[in-house]
Amino acid sequence: MSDQEVIVRRATAADIPALVESAAALFAEDAGTRDPSVDTDWPREHGAASFAAALGDPARLVLVAESGGRVVGHLSGSVTAGTAMRPVMSATLVGIHVRAAHRRSGAGARLVGAFADWAREQGARQAEVTAYTDNTDALRFYERHGFGPHTTTLRRSL
């Protein structure tokens, strides 16, 4: 683990290459080892455009964790308005990744804290995140930060 302090801030256009690298690492490490239906090349092919669009969208948040002037992680999230059936604004933590050398440094906790603060400021009353059931490290991390099971999606191959 690095002994340099980790700073969390909103991403800028200058961060897009580092965001693409972080997202590619997340896809390779998480979905790439757990879900063959996910295109693990997606971040490299579409990530720059997706992050650029997110930076200009007030309903989306992109944060970076920075240490020693280098991006060591990121978080992306969004808020959605309520519906007639479920009239509560909700925030979704879309993706989070911290480089292995900076895990257990508080970077992930700071990213999630900043996301929760932003979501509350947007008027969200609940937040959700999706994780693979066999990613026990991620599940423990999210539970430490107040997330708990709510629904279960079962899947089968056809």
Side-chain angles (χ1 to χ4, degrees):
M1 174 173 61
S2 171
D3 59 356
Q4 294 181 324
E5 183 173 354
V6 175
I7 298 165
V8 170
R9 62 174 174 78
R10 281 197 170 228
T12 67
D15 295 314
I16 289 176
L19 288 164
V20 169
E21 289 303 312
S22 187
L26 171 62
F27 271 56
E29 181 181 320
D30 196 26
T33 64
R34 293 179 173 87
D35 190 348
S37 71
V38 172
D39 178 4
T40 57
D41 291 329
W42 187 93
R44 295 198 191 285
E45 295 172 6
H46 306 285
S50 179
F51 283 120
L55 294 176
D57 184 343
R60 293 170 69 187
L61 175 69
V62 182
L63 299 170
V64 293
E66 188 177 71
S67 179
R70 182 173 172 210
V71 172
V72 298
H74 82 283
L75 179 145
S76 60
S78 64
V79 290
T80 53
T83 64
M85 184 175 82
R86 186 172 285 131
V88 174
M89 181 176 272
S90 182
T92 302
L93 193 162
V94 176
I96 183 173
H97 183 262
V98 174
R99 290 179 185 264
H102 292 274
R103 292 182 187 157
R104 304 201 191 299
S105 70
R110 288 187 186 117
L111 286 165
V112 172
F115 164 73
D117 291 344
W118 172 81
R120 278 189 290 275
E121 290 167 6
Q122 303 308 305
R125 293 185 36 213
Q126 62 187 24
E128 61 189 24
V129 63
T130 301
Y132 290 101
T133 56
D134 70 340
N135 190 343
T136 55
D137 289 341
L139 294 171
R140 280 193 303 270
F141 172 81
Y142 293 132
E143 288 171 349
R144 278 195 313 270
H145 294 285
F147 291 89
H150 178 67
T151 63
T152 300
T153 300
L154 304 174
R155 179 181 289 173
R156 76 175 233 194
S157 296
L158 300 175

